[in-house]
């Protein structure tokens, strides 16, 4: 029997507010354990929450960015469960009446055609604390409550994805948007952008959903793809062996490359949701919606379309360059120097990003200012250097932070464009290779590349390749006469 996977993602994004969702404690990452807490986020008796307006604005921005509906009234609820890093014994979240509903996101998976994924809801909630299992002795777990109360939005997709690649494309697009909006730093390793995947199988051609398993601890795009692929294979093997998939939460072990059962999957009634008695319903004023709409930046899809029309870039190149707001801004600064946009795109994507990727760095850590990369591209265009020599110039620019003119002058890399000087070198090469000259005259036209290569070798690669090619061809053809 052929099976079809059904995949939905639940994505948590930590909002980049200065303070927590319901109190004034700092929401920053990395402070000494249990120093950013107060009676409100610890849930001490008599303390009352006050909603963070900036967190609401950020949630509304995200809703607008995914073409969703902003509910004029939403309600905070208590989600009851007991865990060591949840000091109140409940999480303040939203359930029946979330702030955002009915969105959609267009994605471009690597393994298929563009796809639109529905977004069921985006709700606001507070984060729990963090359990620390290492460094305190065997069998001892410590609790850091600094993260308790940090504002989150949870984005729940429709079960519209059918392959791991579709899930990764959706997640990457969300990641790009939250960073464009500057509402989340997107750091997956630190957990400020994290994902749970719901995966089930059904016989192909049927409509009813199969029993799903939820995969947790997915902290990279690669792990999302690996975990979903593993779960698809696990469920198919189980069904084909005559077993039944059980609804459960499974923890992904990236090192082992497999998941393991964590607990039975809870349903909504297990959490005993009820409206939070300490918080009034949230009425979102229209002025806040308009404020959020006015602060929306140019988003990735719109920027990609503009790069294609304004700079003449291919779809793939424009997609790469608009992956992050920082990369897009860098490229536009390169193009603003007057450099050829297509050549500038190539040098940004291939040479610069290639060098940064080798070091595990991103564009914000580039040792080459955009203006210097633009100047390098211009030196290729004005034939001060060739494209090949430009790679030699790029290396000290990257390693030492130098501008291209300084490197060209220091290394003596200026391109030779003097026709008489090139002709003299060509004459030398022809005189030194009489056998190859005769072979060329006898019809071996491919030897033209040999002569060009010898000339470039004698000039240290500094002769203008187009001039060399033409002069060699003219002089050899003259001998045929």
């Amino acid at each position: 029997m052929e099976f079809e996977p059904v995949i939905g993602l639940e994505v948590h994004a930590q909002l980049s507010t200065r303070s927590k969702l319901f109190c004034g404690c700092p929401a920053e990452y990395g402070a000494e354990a249990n120093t950013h807490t107060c009676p409100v986020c610890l849930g001490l008796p008599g303390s009352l929450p006050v909603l963070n307006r900036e967190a609401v604005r950020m949630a509304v921005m995200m809703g607008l960015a995914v073409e969703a509906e902003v509910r004029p009234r939403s309600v905070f609820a208590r989600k009851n469960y007991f865990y060591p890093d949840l000091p109140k014994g409940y999480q303040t979240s939203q359930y029946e009446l979330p702030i955002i509903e009915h969105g959609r996101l267009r994605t471009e998976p690597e393994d298929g055609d563009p796809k639109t994924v529905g977004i069921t809801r985006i709700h606001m909630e507070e984060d729990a604390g963090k359990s620390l299992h290492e460094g305190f002795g065997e069998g001892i777990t410590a609790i850091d409550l600094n993260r308790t109360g940090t504002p989150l939005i949870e984005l729940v997709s429709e079960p519209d994805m059918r392959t791991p690649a579709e899930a990764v494309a959706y997640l990457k697009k969300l990641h790009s948007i939250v960073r464009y909006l500057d509402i989340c730093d997107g750091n997956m390793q630190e957990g400020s952008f994290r994902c749970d995947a719901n995966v089930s199988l059904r016989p192909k051609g049927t409509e009813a959903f199969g029993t799903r398993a939820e995969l947790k601890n997915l902290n990279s795009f690669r792990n999302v793809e690996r975990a979903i692929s593993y779960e698809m294979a696990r469920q198919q093997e189980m069904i084909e062996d005559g077993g039944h998939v059980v609804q459960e939460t499974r923890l992904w072990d990236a090192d082992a490359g497999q998941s393991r059962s964590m607990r039975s999957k809870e349903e909504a009634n297990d959490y005993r949701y009820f409206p939070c008695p300490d918080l009034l319903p949230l009425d979102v004023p229209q002025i806040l919606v308009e404020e959020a709409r006015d602060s929306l930046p140019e988003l990735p899809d719109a920027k990609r379309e503009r790069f294609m029309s304004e700079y003449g870039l291919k779809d793939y190149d424009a997609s790469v360059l608009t992956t992050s707001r920082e990369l897009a801004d860098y490229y536009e600064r390169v193009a603003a120097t007057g450099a050829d946009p297509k050549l500038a795109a190539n040098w940004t994507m291939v040479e610069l990003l290639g060098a940064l990727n080798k070091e595990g760095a991103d564009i914000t850590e580039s040792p080459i200012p955009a203006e210097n990369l633009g100047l390098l591209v211009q030196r290729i265009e004005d034939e001060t250097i060739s494209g090949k020599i430009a790679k030699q110039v790029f290396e000290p620019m990257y390693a030492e932070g130098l501008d291209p003119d300084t490197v060209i002058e220091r290394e003596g890399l200026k391109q030779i464009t003097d026709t008489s000087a090139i002709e003299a070198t060509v004459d030398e090469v022809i005189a030194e290779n009489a056998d190859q000259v005769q072979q060329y005259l006898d019809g071996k036209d491919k030897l033209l590349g040999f002569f060009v290569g010898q000339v470039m070798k004698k000039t240290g690669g500094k002769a203008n390749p187009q001039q060399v090619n033409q002069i060699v061809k003219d002089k050899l053809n003259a001998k045929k006469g």
Side-chain angles (χ1 to χ4, degrees), residues 162-217:
R162 297 293 176 264
T163 68
E166 288 183 2
V168 170
Y170 169 81
L171 188 62
K172 284 184 175 180
K173 179 61 74 69
L174 278 184
H175 185 264
S176 177
I177 289 174
V178 299
R179 294 189 64 195
Y180 263 77
L181 297 177
D182 198 25
I183 63 172
C184 173
D185 64 20
N187 192 317
M188 298 184 78
Q189 293 299 320
E190 293 177 359
S192 56
F193 186 86
R194 53 192 191 265
C195 169
D196 301 333
N198 291 292
V199 182
S200 65
L201 294 184
R202 65 184 176 190
K204 197 161 188 180
T206 62
E207 293 296 324
F209 293 144
T211 303
R212 75 184 189 276
E214 181 184 36
L215 295 164
K216 284 193 170 291
N217 199 31

Side-chain angles (χ1 to χ4, degrees), residues 60-82:
V60 171
M61 285 182 68
M62 189 67 208
L64 296 174
V66 296
E67 303 178 50
E69 299 174 14
V70 179
R71 292 184 59 95
R73 169 166 285 204
S74 58
V75 173
F76 282 97
R78 289 187 178 181
K79 180 181 181 181
N80 295 273
Y81 63 97
F82 298 94

